């Protein structure tokens, strides 16, 4: 499957040019933002870990080996990119045990920056946000067009697509999900089950969002929509009055799309029509998700970009800094700015 099939149309126009992302790990930096005050005492050891070229699950396995504990006793808030320089929290459940020697886990790909005791383990999804520093290199674009696009993103936000990495190489996770949906089965292995269910939900959400982008309503509240605040998982129905809420224009309140699960969608009107069309186009996936003991949830369609700043360290490098809520994809922002090419494919300087 192509990126266009997995994501959908861009909202702000064609890319302003071309660039490379992740030529080095330092070009894609992520810092987990955790709003939890650690007590300094308890049976859980929390670790602030910097990793380079290493995915989260591999880092967890390495920490477990060094600590001499089963992998099930290692927790983390979210998965971070492998091809990146990331800093995130892990917790180890060590009841009645002293802090272990974790030096065997460390090398040039993993460094423990801090360790603190706490009374509770780190839960999945506990982080509030992620801070990003991205460097787009081998940039070929007109600066005036870039400035205009970045300003528009800062003021309007972007479609909150799940990134292509959610779906695996060429959409392989979606194909895997369809395999199980056709048979009405769920994978036995927990990690595989989580991966394919997540890919299927994300794919259908992106299909709904793609229709709203094509119709120009991804950033507008319609009667029958379900609205949510940026950092809230709860939602409420939109009538005529709610569609005039000033917090919509302030990018605090947004229309939402479905994360398929058990039960009918509570949306109405034109919003429900879009969701039903998407479900009708993928009946096996939609039915499979509804039968997988997952609750119907919502995700905001519009993604505000907090603290967006940019500058040019070199004429052919654009550096972006911003913060996104947990579960949102930095690549969805980059996609609205430039077309990404493999490292080395373009070596033309940007045109100023």
């Amino acid at each position: 499957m192509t990126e266009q099939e997995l994501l959908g149309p861009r909202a702000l126009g064609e890319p302003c040019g071309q660039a490379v992302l992740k030529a080095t790990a330092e070009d894609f930096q992520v810092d987990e933002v955790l709003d939890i005050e650690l007590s300094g005492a308890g049976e859980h050891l929390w670790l602030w870990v910097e990793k380079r070229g290493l995915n989260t699950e591999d880092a967890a396995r390495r920490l477990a080996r060094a600590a001499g504990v089963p992998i099930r006793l290692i927790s983390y808030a979210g998965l971070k990119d492998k091809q990146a320089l990331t800093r995130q929290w892990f917790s180890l459940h060590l009841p009645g045990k002293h802090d272990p020697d974790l030096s065997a886990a460390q090398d040039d790909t993993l460094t423990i920056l801090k360790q603190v005791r706490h009374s509770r383990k780190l839960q999945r999804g506990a982080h509030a946000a992620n801070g990003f520093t991205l460097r787009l290199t081998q940039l070929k674009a007109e600066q005036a067009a870039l400035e205009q696009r970045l300003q528009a993103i800062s003021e309007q936000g972007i479609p909150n697509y799940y990134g292509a990495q959610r779906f695996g190489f060429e959409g392989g996770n979606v194909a895997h999900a369809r395999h199980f949906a056709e048979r009405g089965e769920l994978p036995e292995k927990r990690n595989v089950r989580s991966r394919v269910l997540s890919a299927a939900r994300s794919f259908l959400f992106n299909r709904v969002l793609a229709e709203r982008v094509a119709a120009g309503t991804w950033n507008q509240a319609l009667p029958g929509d379900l609205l949510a605040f940026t950092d809230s998982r709860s939602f409420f129905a939109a009538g005529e009055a709610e569609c005039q809420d000033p917090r919509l224009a302030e990018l605090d309140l947004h229309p939402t799309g479905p994360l398929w699960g058990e039960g009918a969608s509570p949306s109405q009107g034109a919003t429900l029509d879009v969701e039903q069309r998407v479900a009708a186009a993928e009946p096996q996936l939609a039915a499979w998700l509804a039968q997988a003991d997952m609750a119907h949830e919502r995700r905001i369609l519009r993604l505000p970009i907090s603290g967006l700043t940019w500058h040019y360290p070199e004429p052919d490098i654009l550096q972006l800094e911003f913060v996104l809520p947990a579960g949102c994809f930095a690549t969805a922002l980059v996609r609205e700015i430039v077309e990404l090419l493999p490292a080395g494919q373009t070596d033309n300087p940007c045109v100023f």
Side-chain angles (χ1 to χ4, degrees), residues 75-88:
S75 302
Y76 46 84
L79 299 172
K80 299 292 183 286
D81 292 74
K82 176 178 180 179
Q83 191 179 349
L85 176 62
T86 69
R87 287 165 285 270
Q88 69 176 115

Side-chain angles (χ1 to χ4, degrees), residues 25-26 50-54 62 84-85 103-112:
E26 284 73 15
E50 179 179 273
K51 57 187 186 61
R52 176 186 286 100
L54 189 68
R62 187 184 294 185
L85 176 62
S103 57
Q106 301 189 70
D107 59 16
D108 58 351
T109 66
L110 189 153
T111 304
I112 298 172

Side-chain angles (χ1 to χ4, degrees), residues 46-199:
W46 287 46
L47 306 173
W48 180 235
V49 173
E50 179 179 273
K51 57 187 186 61
R52 176 186 286 100
L54 189 68
N55 69 37
T56 300
E57 293 171 336
D58 286 341
R61 282 189 284 270
R62 187 184 294 185
L63 292 170
R65 285 195 301 270
V69 300
I71 184 65
R72 68 176 184 276
L73 299 184
I74 311 294
S75 302
Y76 46 84
L79 299 172
K80 299 292 183 286
D81 292 74
K82 176 178 180 179
Q83 191 179 349
L85 176 62
T86 69
R87 287 165 285 270
Q88 69 176 115
W89 286 98
F90 292 81
S91 74
L92 287 67
H93 191 200
L94 301 169
K97 297 181 179 180
H98 295 294
D99 292 0
D101 179 4
L102 297 172
S103 57
Q106 301 189 70
D107 59 16
D108 58 351
T109 66
L110 189 153
T111 304
I112 298 172
L113 303 175
K114 184 191 302 184
Q115 55 186 63
V116 185
R117 285 278 180 164
H118 191 53
S119 58
R120 296 185 178 183
K121 79 172 187 177
L122 177 58
Q123 300 285 348
R124 291 297 292 268
H127 58 309
N130 290 302
F132 293 88
T133 300
L134 307 187
R135 287 164 54 94
L136 298 171
T137 61
Q138 301 181 53
L139 177 68
K140 184 182 180 183
E142 293 186 1
Q143 187 178 13
L146 287 172
E147 295 290 321
Q148 186 176 13
R149 180 63 53 85
L150 288 164
Q151 191 61 41
I153 289 172
S154 181
E155 295 172 356
Q156 302 174 28
I158 61 170
N160 192 20
Y161 286 119
Y162 284 98
Q165 58 266 49
R166 171 60 61 92
F167 307 109
F169 179 68
E170 294 183 347
N173 291 343
V174 178
H176 204 185
R178 286 196 172 112
H179 168 83
F180 286 101
E182 288 170 358
R183 291 158 178 75
E185 301 173 351
L186 288 172
E188 293 183 5
K189 292 184 177 179
R190 184 176 180 180
N191 64 327
V192 177
R193 182 166 64 250
S194 175
R195 174 169 53 81
V196 297
L197 287 171
S198 178

